[in-house]
Amino acid sequence: MSVSASVSTATAQGGSTPGGSAAPPNSAKATKAAAGIAALAAIGPATWGTTYVTTTELLPPDRPLLAAALRALPAGLILLALTGRLPRGDWWWKAAVLGLLNFGAFFPLLFFGAYHLPGGVASTISAVMPLLVAGFGIGVLKVRPTRRTLIAGLVGVIGVALLVLRGSAAVDAAGITAMLAATTLMALAVVLSKRWGRPEGVSLLALTGWQLTAGGLVLAPVALTAEGLPDHFTGANVAGYAYLGIIGTALAYALWFRGIERLPASSVSFLGLTNPVVATLAGLLLLGQTLTPWQVGGLVLVVASVLLGQNLRRPQRR
């Protein structure tokens, strides 16, 4: 990463410039701009919260890897066609690494964990991502987490647990391992994306397309070998895949990556907690589920964690 990018990252993280002078105080306008970026970035995990409902109501059953491949590869190829840009230099391997972390390895582990664990257990494990990002940030970004970040991370885990866990939740060692591995990979991807930034003159859509294509190329042969294609696709199947690919993947990840680029990594990681919140609300509205008082309390704690975890400093300009 260039010296100027390093300075910008340090400033965005609330640090100081190499000369030792403190970052300029945030104005109300800068804080408002950062809040707008955070709100847009939150659309990503918010749409991921609708994945469960979409999968159960619209997609063919028992083909999670196919769903993952059709989420990533077509969206990636479309973005490549629209932007007309391919990686250059070391961005060939960087895009491959990020594509593997965000999609190629993350999606299979996520679906494996989801199929071997109750949704509540899986969501609670994924809620540790802000704490993992804080840990990776120490070594990769040289940024030590604040006490506020750690407290917000713990509040988020407790809130998600209250929101989604049930007393009869089963524990499967393989599922827990897969879910923890998936969450760790995504946390590492957030930190590496922050560290590497974006190539000069390359649009965010192009960078997103590189990663989706790389991950999709890993997923496609695995899905076809392990699951194959269904005998036919219904209109509901096509609509479900289109929604997941266009809205839940291409658009959602572009906004998510934009948030990573312009906000502190810790702030972005807390936005991921909107995923179980939206998943719960979607079940409430679309599947006729109800909320217990404990779940309402968990919902309040999760929202408090997301707000407490935001460090809305001056956004980084690209």
Side-chain angles (χ1 to χ4, degrees), residues 74-132:
L77 294 175
I78 289 172
L79 290 180
L80 285 183
L82 291 176
T83 59
R85 294 293 298 269
L86 292 176
R88 292 184 180 180
D90 59 359
W91 269 99
W92 280 103
W93 68 264
K94 287 181 179 179
V97 168
L98 292 177
L100 184 66
L101 293 176
N102 279 315
F103 307 106
F106 173 74
F107 277 168
L109 288 169
L110 179 68
F111 280 116
F112 183 89
Y115 270 77
H116 286 77
L117 293 172
V121 176
S123 295
T124 302
I125 294 173
S126 67
V128 304
M129 191 176 79
L131 298 176
L132 292 173

Side-chain angles (χ1 to χ4, degrees), residues 152-168:
L154 292 175
V155 170
V157 174
I158 295 171
V160 171
L162 290 175
L163 182 64
V164 297
L165 277 181
R166 301 291 186 273
S168 60

Side-chain angles (χ1 to χ4, degrees), residues 39-48 71-72 74-76 78-79 82 103 204-205 208-209 212 242-259:
L40 286 175
I43 293 175
T47 60
W48 303 334
R71 282 185 69 180
I78 289 172
L79 290 180
L82 291 176
F103 307 106
L204 196 58
L205 287 180
T208 303
L212 285 169
Y243 170 78
L244 289 178
I246 297 172
I247 305 299
T249 303
L251 176 61
Y253 274 96
L255 293 174
W256 176 250
F257 294 152
R258 182 174 181 264

Side-chain angles (χ1 to χ4, degrees), residues 12 53 104 106 110 113 132 153 169 179 181 205 212 215 217 219 222 285 287-288 295 300:
V53 171
F106 173 74
L110 179 68
L132 292 173
M179 201 67 206
L205 287 180
L212 285 169
L217 288 174
L219 286 167
V222 176
L285 297 175
L287 301 181
Q295 287 179 302
V300 172

Side-chain angles (χ1 to χ4, degrees), residues 131-150:
L131 298 176
L132 292 173
V133 168
F136 284 131
I138 297 175
V140 178
L141 301 176
K142 310 302 180 185
V143 176
R144 298 188 65 83
T146 64
R147 182 179 302 178
R148 173 177 168 174
T149 295
L150 296 178

Side-chain angles (χ1 to χ4, degrees), residues 177-190:
T177 300
M179 201 67 206
L180 185 57
T183 304
T184 302
L185 291 182
M186 190 170 192
L188 181 58
V190 169

